[in-house]
Amino acid sequence: MHAILDADYLCHLGFVRDGAPVVLPTLYARVGERLYVHGSTGSRPLRGAGEDTGLAVCLTVTHVDGLVLARSAIHHSVNYRCVVVHGVARQVTDPAERSAALDALIDHIVPGRAADSRPANARELAATAVVALDLHEVSAKVRTGGPNDDPEDLALPHWTGVLPVTRTYGEPVPADGLDPSITAPGYLTER
Amino acid sequence: MHAILDADYLCHLGFVRDGAPVVLPTLYARVGERLYVHGSTGSRPLRGAGEDTGLAVCLTVTHVDGLVLARSAIHHSVNYRCVVVHGVARQVTDPAERSAALDALIDHIVPGRAADSRPANARELAATAVVALDLHEVSAKVRTGGPNDDPEDLALPHWTGVLPVTRTYGEPVPADGLDPSITAPGYLTER
């Protein structure tokens, strides 16, 4: 489960608002048996995580690894790795933990970047919501391998197999106005 | 919103079970102003969609388009496109609509594939859950462009810009036992 969580940085965070489900995308990082979730996307809903009771959430991370094409329509599938975390999200109030959590979020997305950027100052840290979710109730689901056609379909003339899917990174695009002598760092170009 | 929905096939579906949020990944397709969601992943929870009241859901689709590296840690961000659909999911009971929905799901993931596979028979159709969700309450959120550093940070020596992210497809991998004379179809190799 750690490996699946560490292989991504986008999660979908679900919670209940006025009795109805809400699912929002946000960024996360894992530190030991705790996830840190960036609160900006969900600043309004995650307000509940600042209350004494915290906020009941379901955090789900899914990688698509392949499209599985069977001979029969019904056996088409997708190879994937998914982790579902249930728990209570709580605002991180300790300044040191909040600072470390922000570094972890950046380094989880681009390893090595936290040290190569201007750290957040006290004002920025105070204005940023970070939410912690412990890895107590966690489940994983994985599908791998090829299609599972029924025996009576094996002679059908349709191509069958897997189309691999990956997330890939392009060439770094410098921001407007960047000093041309500042070249893209190795943690980007060697990604 | 249609364009964002049509550019993906994986969604995260949220609902409330025993008062707690649940978020599961599943596959979807758009047909006009209606989404069809494959019920297999969520067969147990989506049972509620078969009741008269349907099941209140939140369906979210998110593409990550780039990692945004600012000079300051706090302004790091992600370029993304996201659609959030709130509504009531209902089981599709009409056999013709269910059959069309399954074709749409397959063609949404691999355009052209539904016609190049053995169609579902009556027994398979009866055993498959398909859920419909109308596009009534839909919102989108998009971030594009470069980093937004504060003026006082513009002279810092850190590289800044965007690392593009895309989903890419590899070479089709034939299933074990596939007749070697059946070559991968154009809708896969030209993807």
Side-chain angles (χ1 to χ4, degrees):
Chain A
M1 295 184 191
H2 286 177
I4 294 174
L5 289 169
D6 291 351
D8 208 333
Y9 39 79
L10 177 78
C11 66
H12 281 81
L13 187 72
F15 51 92
V16 180
R17 183 167 61 196
D18 301 332
V22 179
V23 179
L24 295 177
T26 189
L27 303 170
Y28 71 92
R30 183 182 69 85
V31 177
E33 294 299 322
R34 175 169 287 186
L35 297 184
Y36 290 108
V37 178
H38 195 272
S40 80
T41 301
S43 56
R44 187 171 54 126
L46 288 183
R47 208 184 285 155
E51 297 168 4
D52 286 349
T53 53
L55 180 70
V57 299
C58 177
L59 184 153
T60 302
V61 174
T62 309
H63 310 268
V64 174
D65 295 319
L67 309 182
V68 181
L69 287 82
R71 296 170 179 92
S72 58
I74 205 75
H75 284 303
H76 279 63
S77 186
V78 168
N79 283 340
Y80 68 98
R81 291 164 290 151
C82 176
V83 165
V84 177
V85 183
H86 291 273
V88 174
R90 295 178 192 281
Q91 292 274 0
V92 176
T93 53
D94 177 66
E97 184 181 7
R98 190 190 291 221
S99 177
L102 282 175
D103 281 355
L105 280 162
I106 290 180
D107 277 339
H108 188 72
I109 301 171
V110 181
R113 180 64 181 181
D116 186 21
S117 56
R118 196 262 294 156
N121 57 37
R123 178 183 52 79
E124 291 169 337
L125 279 175
T128 303
V130 179
V131 166
L133 175 64
D134 289 336
L135 293 173
H136 286 153
E137 190 182 341
V138 188
S139 60
K141 202 168 170 189
V142 174
R143 190 204 190 278
T144 59
N148 296 317
D149 265 315
D150 297 325
E152 58 268 33
D153 289 331
L154 296 181
L156 290 175
H158 310 296
W159 186 90
T160 176
V162 174
L163 188 65
V165 181
T166 51
R167 176 183 285 169
T168 54
Y169 295 90
E171 292 291 312
V173 180
D176 291 343
L178 178 67
D179 179 343
S181 72
I182 303 177
T183 55
Y187 55 73
L188 290 183
T189 56
E190 289 153 23
R191 184 153 185 149
Chain B
M1 296 184 191
H2 286 177
I4 294 173
L5 289 169
D6 292 351
D8 208 334
Y9 38 79
L10 177 78
C11 65
H12 282 80
L13 187 72
F15 51 92
V16 180
R17 183 168 60 195
D18 301 333
V22 179
V23 178
L24 295 177
T26 189
L27 303 170
Y28 71 92
R30 183 183 68 85
V31 177
E33 295 299 321
R34 176 167 285 185
L35 298 183
Y36 291 108
V37 178
H38 195 272
S40 80
T41 301
S43 54
R44 185 170 56 125
L46 287 184
R47 206 185 286 155
E51 296 168 5
D52 285 349
T53 54
L55 180 71
V57 299
C58 177
L59 183 153
T60 301
V61 174
T62 309
H63 310 268
V64 174
D65 294 320
L67 308 182
V68 182
L69 286 82
R71 296 169 179 93
S72 58
I74 205 75
H75 284 303
H76 279 64
S77 186
V78 168
N79 283 339
Y80 68 97
R81 292 164 289 151
C82 176
V83 165
V84 177
V85 183
H86 291 273
V88 174
R90 295 177 192 282
Q91 291 273 1
V92 176
T93 52
D94 177 67
E97 185 182 6
R98 189 189 291 221
S99 177
L102 283 174
D103 282 353
L105 280 162
I106 291 180
D107 277 340
H108 189 71
I109 301 171
V110 182
R113 179 64 181 182
D116 186 22
S117 56
R118 195 263 294 158
N121 58 37
R123 177 182 54 79
E124 291 168 337
L125 279 176
T128 303
V130 180
V131 165
L133 174 64
D134 289 336
L135 293 173
H136 286 153
E137 190 183 342
V138 188
S139 60
K141 202 168 170 188
V142 174
R143 190 204 190 278
T144 59
N148 296 318
D149 264 316
D150 297 326
E152 59 267 33
D153 289 331
L154 296 181
L156 290 176
H158 310 296
W159 186 91
T160 177
V162 175
L163 187 66
V165 181
T166 50
R167 176 183 283 169
T168 54
Y169 295 89
E171 291 291 312
V173 179
D176 291 343
L178 178 66
D179 179 343
S181 72
I182 303 178
T183 55
Y187 54 74
L188 291 183
T189 57
E190 290 152 23
R191 186 155 185 146

